[in-house]
Amino acid sequence: MNWKSKRIIITGGNSGIGKQLVTDLSQLGAKISFCGLEPDQVREVAETFEVNGVVADLCDDAQLQTFFENSISYLGGLDILINNAGYVIAESFEDLKRTDFEKMFALNAIAPARLAQLSIPHFKTQGFGDILNIGATGGYYAFDKGTAYSASKSALSIISKNLNLEFRKHHIRTFHIDPSWCTDTNNNNYGSHIPANPEQLNPTDITHLIVEVLKMDRRGFVPQMSIWGTQP
């Protein structure tokens, strides 16, 4: 894998797993464009790693398209799309509002699907491309106060499967990675930071897996995988 020739879009690149992806892939030499919601964090990451950072709310389709077009202009094309941005509201079923469902589906499922739609014509034209969707193990089991989040991540899993069904023939690979609970990231709906816990998964564990699977020779790929913390 020659990372210095790779042009990569990463969503949610200003914290947690996304920031670690920007760190790891920029150090490998890839050219990166990422987005995030917090202007100060986006600016800091962009300046630190000399990459393109865009403030964008991916729930707004106009902002999503502007981010994508800005990224293509900066990168000069696209080789890898990493849909990392996510949102969680943990509430009991009776307390969930319609807007809670809408917010989580908009960011966790619809935004990745829209970015994939925008990416596929570029991939088809050049004859290859990779999409990597970051889901959650909660997308295939129930957990306390997790109804809406689990449903949105389950939807993303189905989107990943259908992308492979339709576009493998065009040499477009879609990887779907489901991490379990990960520390050292933003608990964004509550405005707090989940501190790093050396006994539980950290962003470096997730990004190590991502880098390794993307390095696979294009004759093969792993369509879906999970990474669990040893200590639940």
Side-chain angles (χ1 to χ4, degrees):
M1 168 73 81
N2 179 12
W3 287 106
K4 292 185 178 180
S5 69
K6 296 305 177 187
R7 301 158 297 179
I8 304 175
I9 288 177
I10 300 171
T11 66
N14 58 300
S15 65
I17 296 169
K19 182 179 179 181
Q20 192 63 49
L21 280 168
V22 172
T23 304
D24 295 349
L25 293 171
S26 65
Q27 289 175 348
L28 288 168
K31 193 171 184 180
I32 294 169
S33 180
F34 76 94
C35 70
L37 274 177
E38 295 80 12
D40 290 345
Q41 292 182 14
V42 169
R43 188 182 313 110
E44 179 185 356
V45 173
E47 292 175 354
T48 299
F49 299 103
E50 298 182 338
V51 298
N52 186 49
V54 178
V55 177
D57 180 356
L58 299 180
C59 297
D60 181 322
D61 203 62
Q63 292 187 49
L64 182 150
Q65 291 191 62
T66 297
F67 163 61
F68 184 82
E69 291 162 4
N70 176 289
S71 298
I72 293 297
S73 176
Y74 171 81
L75 297 171
L78 181 64
D79 299 302
I80 301 170
L81 166 67
I82 300 179
N83 284 310
N84 162 74
Y87 193 78
V88 56
I89 298 172
E91 296 290 349
S92 65
F93 186 79
E94 291 179 303
D95 291 331
L96 283 166
K97 301 181 292 293
R98 181 186 182 92
T99 53
D100 295 335
F101 282 94
E102 290 173 344
K103 173 75 173 182
M104 280 185 277
F105 271 84
L107 188 56
N108 296 346
I110 297 172
R114 288 289 295 123
L115 286 166
Q117 285 180 319
L118 295 171
S119 301
I120 284 166
H122 293 271
F123 293 158
K124 289 172 75 174
T125 296
Q126 69 192 17
F128 67 91
D130 289 335
I131 299 167
L132 192 143
N133 292 327
I134 299 181
T137 54
Y140 51 83
Y141 63 76
F143 66 95
D144 188 39
K145 298 182 179 181
T147 302
Y149 178 73
S150 290
S152 68
K153 287 297 189 178
S154 180
L156 180 60
S157 176
I158 293 298
I159 289 166
S160 297
K161 290 179 172 67
N162 278 276
L163 285 170
N164 276 322
L165 177 67
E166 292 193 44
F167 299 108
R168 277 175 63 199
K169 62 188 176 186
H170 297 287
H171 304 286
I172 298 170
R173 307 184 297 182
T174 299
F175 302 84
H176 185 97
I177 294 181
D178 291 315
S180 62
W181 177 259
C182 183
T183 66
D184 194 17
T185 188
N186 282 351
N187 191 10
N188 49 15
N189 57 309
Y190 297 113
S192 58
H193 182 75
I194 302 170
N197 183 337
E199 299 300 319
Q200 295 181 312
L201 290 179
N202 279 261
T204 52
D205 301 312
I206 317 303
T207 61
H208 173 77
L209 177 62
I210 289 170
V211 170
E212 290 303 311
V213 296
L214 287 171
K215 282 166 55 178
M216 291 180 65
D217 189 280
R218 298 204 63 81
R219 63 177 171 264
F221 73 109
V222 183
Q224 187 159 6
M225 65 212 86
S226 301
I227 175 168
W228 291 64
T230 306
Q231 294 296 318

